[in-house]
Amino acid sequence: MVNVLPDDTCHDQAECPPIEWRISDRPVPYPDALAFMEARVAAIAAGEAPECIWLLEHPPLYTAGTSADDGELVDPARFPTFRTGRGGQWTYHGPGQRIAYVMLDLSRRGRDVRRFVADLEHWIIAALSAFNVDGEIRDGRVGVWVRRPEKGPEIEEKIAAIGIRVRRWVSFHGISINVEPDLTHFDGIVPCGIAEHGVTSLVDLGRVVTMAEVDAALRAAFEDVFERETTRSGES
């Protein structure tokens, strides 16, 4: 079942069409998600549909981005694998992980893909801060990381991944935040091509939260990061 929520942050509909927020309450097959994104991105680019944020989970699977190395798929028989046009390398998706597929019109947001990725990072960091988790960005490592001093002074682990694609200045794919996934499922790949650092989750960090709480944090943080960015981009 998909719940569709209105976005009430835009009061001038002529200048700022509302973003549709979709929340799926059961795992969505990956091909179904791809088909929806392909159709929605085309409709947004044509001016026939509003922007969309889709919050969901997937059944256990591995996806390969455009930079994926086949040698980093350690256990190819473990879960279904999918080739995708997003950027990045191998990623795991599964239950307990919140996926946010982000279908936004970058023509409204400055047509700056590098800045858009930075905004996605800031969005994740702001959402994690609602649970007293200090997410950090690292040069050369896309995604969001947390320090694990209890494991060692130099230990960092990844809590959120980013992988996007842009077509006709509309984005799709998006981000994933590890809420309570089975972390052993990441053993079947080299996550994002980085072998020297591990992965973590909110529960692994001692934050026992619900998906609804994560969704609320993402919604609040999105409005702060992206609505402010849209306003700034539209100023003359």
Side-chain angles (χ1 to χ4, degrees), residues 28-209:
V28 177
Y30 194 71
D32 293 355
L34 285 181
F36 176 88
M37 285 192 288
E38 291 277 351
R40 188 55 169 261
V41 165
I44 294 169
E48 298 171 351
E51 297 175 302
C52 180
I53 309 294
W54 189 7
L55 305 177
L56 69 150
E57 296 171 81
H58 283 307
L61 56 92
Y62 297 127
T63 67
T66 54
S67 302
D69 182 339
D70 287 347
E72 293 178 346
L73 178 59
V74 179
D75 188 356
R78 188 169 190 178
F79 297 126
T81 60
F82 297 89
R83 297 280 175 178
T84 177
R86 64 160 175 81
Q89 298 170 300
W90 286 101
T91 300
Y92 166 75
H93 293 318
Q97 183 187 69
R98 179 49 97 210
I99 307 294
Y101 285 137
V102 182
M103 291 153 273
L104 297 179
D105 183 358
L106 300 191
S107 295
R108 287 178 49 200
R109 304 169 193 277
R111 292 196 174 193
D112 186 332
V113 175
R114 189 180 300 272
R115 186 176 70 189
F116 178 60
V117 172
D119 285 343
L120 291 174
E121 292 173 332
H122 294 148
W123 179 32
I124 295 166
I125 289 170
L128 292 175
S129 71
F131 309 109
N132 296 314
V133 172
D134 294 325
E136 300 181 4
I137 300 168
R138 293 290 177 263
D139 289 341
R141 286 193 257 143
V142 175
V144 176
W145 302 79
V146 294
R147 298 175 187 266
R148 303 301 304 270
E150 72 279 12
K151 295 185 175 183
E154 304 298 325
I155 301 299
E156 298 179 342
E157 294 178 329
K158 192 169 191 175
I159 193 167
I162 297 173
I164 66 164
R165 185 175 183 181
V166 176
R167 180 184 298 156
R168 295 176 62 189
W169 290 110
V170 180
S171 68
F172 55 125
H173 298 280
I175 69 170
S176 60
I177 298 177
N178 297 332
V179 180
E180 193 179 4
D182 184 337
L183 295 178
T184 67
H185 289 179
F186 287 89
D187 296 343
I189 57 172
V190 178
C192 300
I194 301 172
E196 62 270 28
H197 297 284
V199 292
T200 189
S201 67
L202 286 170
V203 167
D204 187 48
L205 295 171
R207 275 64 167 185
V208 180
V209 300

Side-chain angles (χ1 to χ4, degrees), residues 1-7 19-26 28 36 40 52-57 98 211-212 215 219:
M1 179 178 177
V2 175
N3 298 318
V4 178
L5 305 178
D7 187 316
I19 296 172
E20 177 186 333
W21 286 77
R22 298 169 59 90
I23 303 176
S24 294
D25 59 6
R26 60 177 62 96
V28 177
F36 176 88
R40 188 55 169 261
C52 180
I53 309 294
W54 189 7
L55 305 177
L56 69 150
E57 296 171 81
R98 179 49 97 210
M211 281 294 181
D215 293 346
R219 179 86 179 250

